[in-house]
């Protein structure tokens, strides 16, 4: 099996300076809901074994997904995305990801502080 990566450079789609994008401690948890900050989403995808070879390509075709990685361990795949509001995240997970053939379970983790990307 050939393993390939389909990652894009993850940067917020904004022309703000690094200091303007920085999230202060008071606003870390609710900054994404105001629609001005990009937060990162990591989705652990548990898939049927017969679909593990085809599912990465289907996930890669979703424009909101920045990176798809095959894993060995708790999940079969890891998909990452940036979003600016909770509705965008909800749509991506519930409508686009969970409905793909072979997806059994999706667990999400949302970042609240991205030091490397906020400082760039």
């Amino acid at each position: 099996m050939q393993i390939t990566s389909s990652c894009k450079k993850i940067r917020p789609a904004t022309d703000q300076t690094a200091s303007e994008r920085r999230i202060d401690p008071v606003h870390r948890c609710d900054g994404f809901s105001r629609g001005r900050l990009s937060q990162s989403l990591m989705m652990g995808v548990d898939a049927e074994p017969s679909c593990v070879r085809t599912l990465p390509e289907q996930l890669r075709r979703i424009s909101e997904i920045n990176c798809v990685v095959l894993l060995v361990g708790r999940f079969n795949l890891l998909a990452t995305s940036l979003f600016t509001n909770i509705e965008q995240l909800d749509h991506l997970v519930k409508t686009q990801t969970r409905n793909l053939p072979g997806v059994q379970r999706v667990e999400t983790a949302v970042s609240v502080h991205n030091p490397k990307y906020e400082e760039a």
Side-chain angles (χ1 to χ4, degrees), residues 1 7 16-17 27 33 40 46 62 91 99-101 109 112-115:
M1 173 177 69
C7 295
Q16 295 174 323
T17 64
H27 296 115
S33 63
S40 86
D46 192 17
I62 299 172
H91 177 74
N99 288 336
L100 291 173
V112 293
H113 184 53
N114 302 297

Side-chain angles (χ1 to χ4, degrees), residues 43-47 70-78 105-107:
M43 292 186 288
V45 179
D46 192 17
L70 288 168
L71 299 174
V72 175
R74 183 175 179 180
F75 299 103
N76 302 108
L77 302 159
L78 173 72
R105 178 174 61 102
V106 176
E107 273 191 35

Side-chain angles (χ1 to χ4, degrees), residues 63-83:
S63 62
E64 293 87 356
I65 293 181
N66 299 316
C67 184
V68 177
V69 179
L70 288 168
L71 299 174
V72 175
R74 183 175 179 180
F75 299 103
N76 302 108
L77 302 159
L78 173 72
T80 63
S81 178
L82 292 178
F83 66 97

Side-chain angles (χ1 to χ4, degrees), residues 11-111:
R11 292 273 187 228
T14 179
D15 52 351
Q16 295 174 323
T17 64
S19 62
E20 290 170 328
R21 284 193 314 264
R22 193 169 295 120
I23 303 171
D24 61 70
V26 174
H27 296 115
R28 281 187 189 156
C29 294
D30 68 345
F32 67 88
S33 63
R34 289 176 283 174
R36 54 170 240 226
L37 300 171
S38 292
Q39 297 293 305
S40 86
L41 166 69
M42 290 148 283
M43 292 186 288
V45 179
D46 192 17
E48 294 176 18
S50 62
C51 297
V52 172
R53 291 178 186 249
T54 58
L55 201 51
E57 180 60 30
Q58 294 173 24
L59 287 167
R60 191 182 70 79
R61 290 181 185 156
I62 299 172
S63 62
E64 293 87 356
I65 293 181
N66 299 316
C67 184
V68 177
V69 179
L70 288 168
L71 299 174
V72 175
R74 183 175 179 180
F75 299 103
N76 302 108
L77 302 159
L78 173 72
T80 63
S81 178
L82 292 178
F83 66 97
T84 56
N85 60 57
I86 199 73
E87 291 81 16
Q88 196 179 21
L89 176 147
D90 187 58
H91 177 74
L92 175 62
V93 175
K94 288 183 179 175
T95 307
Q96 294 182 280
T97 306
R98 285 189 181 156
N99 288 336
L100 291 173
V103 172
Q104 293 178 327
R105 178 174 61 102
V106 176
E107 273 191 35
T108 60
V110 176
S111 69

